[in-house]
Amino acid sequence: MRIIGFLLISNFLFIFSNAQSVLIEAESFDDPGGWVVDPQFVEQMGSPYLMAHGMGTPVADAHTKFQLGESGEYHVWVRSKNWAPGNWEAPGRFQIAIDGRTLPETLGVTPGWSWEYAGKIKLASGDTELALIDLTGFNGRCDAIFLSTDQNAPPRESPELATWRMKKSDEASSPEEVLDFDLVVVGGGIAGCASAIAAAEQGLSVALIHDRPVLGGNASSEIRVHTLGIYGHFERILRMLDTEHYPNGSPEAYKDEIKRHKNVEKYENIHLYTNWRAYDANTEGNRISSVDARHTSEGKRIRFIAPRFVDSTGDGWIGFWAGADFMYGRESVDTYGEAYEEWGELWSPEESDDFVMGSSVLWRTVKNDAPVEFPEVPWAKEVAQNHEATEGTWKWELSRLDLHQIDDAEEIRDHMLKAIYGSFANAKDKPEGENLAFEWISYLVGKRESRRLEGDYIFTFNDVTDQRKFPDSVVMETREVDVHYQQNLKDESKPDFLSEAIFYKTPKYYIPYRSLYSKNIENLFMAGRNFSCSHIGLGGPRVMRTTGQMGAAVGIAAVICEKYGIDPREVYTDHLEEYMELIESQKHYNTIAPKK
């Protein structure tokens, strides 16, 4: 191909066969200003994007520079969406400016992700500056900007759009860099961090891949859920990672996050890849050969090769891409005999369905010394209706049969944002609320349940009630089984974004190692809420100290696998006694390096 022009953005080189078209990925801006990079919904909408998360106050402009190959009149298209369409002005409106000139069209006004026309502009070749100008502070979003001397809009729908983007950026079919490790852990929540530490302490070279800048998942400063559960065999490891029992949403999460990062980063053989999002698992037969990941803002890619992998993504993405058997939704009451007669359908339905525990978005307010203005939010009050609130607790949770917790996660998050803004606006309408202002709102969904990867054993409610102790019991818990339902299913007057919990008190129960590796993908472990269990089985052990136990258990299993050159299942079938001794030894830690 004859190259007649190029575009340089930060550390990227985008090459084009036609120098009169330029594609700029918004997440790669040199200076995002007050905009944040949101990579949560890549699998659904195709890319990370910039979002103006200003809680009702317009955020600082985002800026970037690029080299334009040729002078000319350029048509400018911006991929965005109106996230709250209706008979009102779109809440996420913004504009684009090029070389200090603001283009005429307002963006963020079209329902659904699409290319909106920003206008046309005459540009000279050479250095060019681009800016995003937030108009509202209410979560405007920009995925990409396309400049072209041709007025035709880029493709709107996947997979045509994905193919077009790859062609425009001249992206190779496989990652540019390839790295080898003893163990690759995907997901830097408590479970993933525990897995990495447990394996690294025994001498393995571990890659820990996480799509956010901070570790901890739901316990991070970005989501702020405190950790619950007991420590089991792994108190020393989990105390490096867990939180104090502060109220959910508290800024105290920052303190524990600093502790967490220091404790993970002190291990020389943990290679930490924050802001890297896995996007594929490559397989050979029933084995994963490698996992591919992309930097969430720079766009660079790495292929991670290892003999074994840990899926701690929560949503079970590594298993899903590899073809692992998985479960989603509630089993019928007769599938495993998990009835709780007092609660009937709210606990376990007569027929299986796709209802699962939902996702939360936490938030906090502060009371100032003087009144604080807040804009009108008719698009939010449609959801909040008459509900008033000044903070979000764990009960702020959304699950509906028509919304899939993975496929519709962006809609779920946006619905919760509407509920927050509307409920807060209702509270401010009262005299006692005039001094209130937002202190913090998470823009990340805190999920409780989605895919559950199937292992050799499916942990169920019966294992709790029977207090079954397995020969391979590696996780233990005393926390009650805790299953959620939406309040409006019992009381139609309640808003649809509030949940309630059903508790089943129980003594200690145990989870077997066989629930922590895949049934059909030979070299895949799983640790976290995507472990092998029924819907009701997840109710107790889904909390983070318990999932952290799972992570530590599979990290140690990976040590046995490395020592003998075996797969996860063979740890149970051929080396269980040695494995359980190593698990028990964690109470009295002593490094036992694997034999290479």
Side-chain angles (χ1 to χ4, degrees), residues 523-549:
N523 59 340
L524 178 64
F525 297 102
M526 54 269 195
R529 59 182 174 83
N530 56 343
F531 86 105
S532 180
C533 61
S534 66
H535 165 73
I536 300 297
L538 183 64
R542 61 184 170 79
V543 294
M544 285 180 276
R545 287 197 189 109
T546 324
T547 60
Q549 292 184 57

Side-chain angles (χ1 to χ4, degrees), residues 175-193:
E176 302 82 6
E177 187 175 4
V178 179
L179 299 175
D180 282 271
F181 297 92
D182 296 327
L183 182 69
V184 171
V185 181
V186 186
I190 301 299
C193 290

Side-chain angles (χ1 to χ4, degrees), residues 98-117:
I98 303 178
D99 284 342
R101 291 172 283 169
T102 302
L103 273 63
E105 299 298 329
T106 299
L107 306 165
V109 297
T110 306
W113 282 102
S114 62
W115 292 96
E116 297 182 318
Y117 187 63

Side-chain angles (χ1 to χ4, degrees), residues 192 272 383 444 488:
L272 182 58
V383 171
L444 302 175
N488 66 341

Side-chain angles (χ1 to χ4, degrees), residues 74-142:
Y74 284 82
H75 298 275
V76 182
W77 298 88
V78 177
R79 190 166 188 250
S80 182
K81 72 181 292 187
N82 177 359
W83 64 275
N87 295 322
W88 42 68
E89 283 194 302
R93 303 185 307 282
F94 66 99
Q95 289 181 292
I96 189 170
I98 303 178
D99 284 342
R101 291 172 283 169
T102 302
L103 273 63
E105 299 298 329
T106 299
L107 306 165
V109 297
T110 306
W113 282 102
S114 62
W115 292 96
E116 297 182 318
Y117 187 63
K120 60 184 178 180
I121 187 171
K122 289 184 177 180
L123 297 172
S125 62
D127 289 345
T128 308
E129 183 166 332
L130 185 67
L132 301 180
I133 305 167
D134 177 30
L135 300 177
T136 70
F138 283 122
N139 302 91
R141 50 206 72 181
C142 178

Side-chain angles (χ1 to χ4, degrees), residues 221 242 244 246 251-260:
S221 63
D242 68 349
E244 298 294 332
Y246 46 68
E252 288 291 307
Y254 284 108
K255 177 184 66 177
D256 292 314
E257 186 169 86
I258 292 169
K259 173 194 76 173
R260 187 177 306 123

Side-chain angles (χ1 to χ4, degrees), residues 3 5-16 168-171 298:
I3 300 172
F6 68 89
L7 166 68
L8 183 64
I9 305 176
S10 300
N11 297 322
F12 305 86
L13 187 65
F14 291 90
I15 302 173
F16 305 99
K168 283 296 180 185
S169 61
D170 197 34
E171 183 172 274
E298 296 176 3

Side-chain angles (χ1 to χ4, degrees), residues 216 218-228 241-257 259-260 362 364 544-545:
N218 283 349
S220 73
S221 63
E222 296 184 317
I223 299 178
R224 305 186 186 180
V225 177
H226 58 241
T227 58
L228 292 174
L241 304 170
D242 68 349
T243 74
E244 298 294 332
H245 193 81
Y246 46 68
N248 287 331
S250 170
E252 288 291 307
Y254 284 108
K255 177 184 66 177
D256 292 314
E257 186 169 86
K259 173 194 76 173
R260 187 177 306 123
L362 296 175
R364 285 170 58 93
M544 285 180 276
R545 287 197 189 109

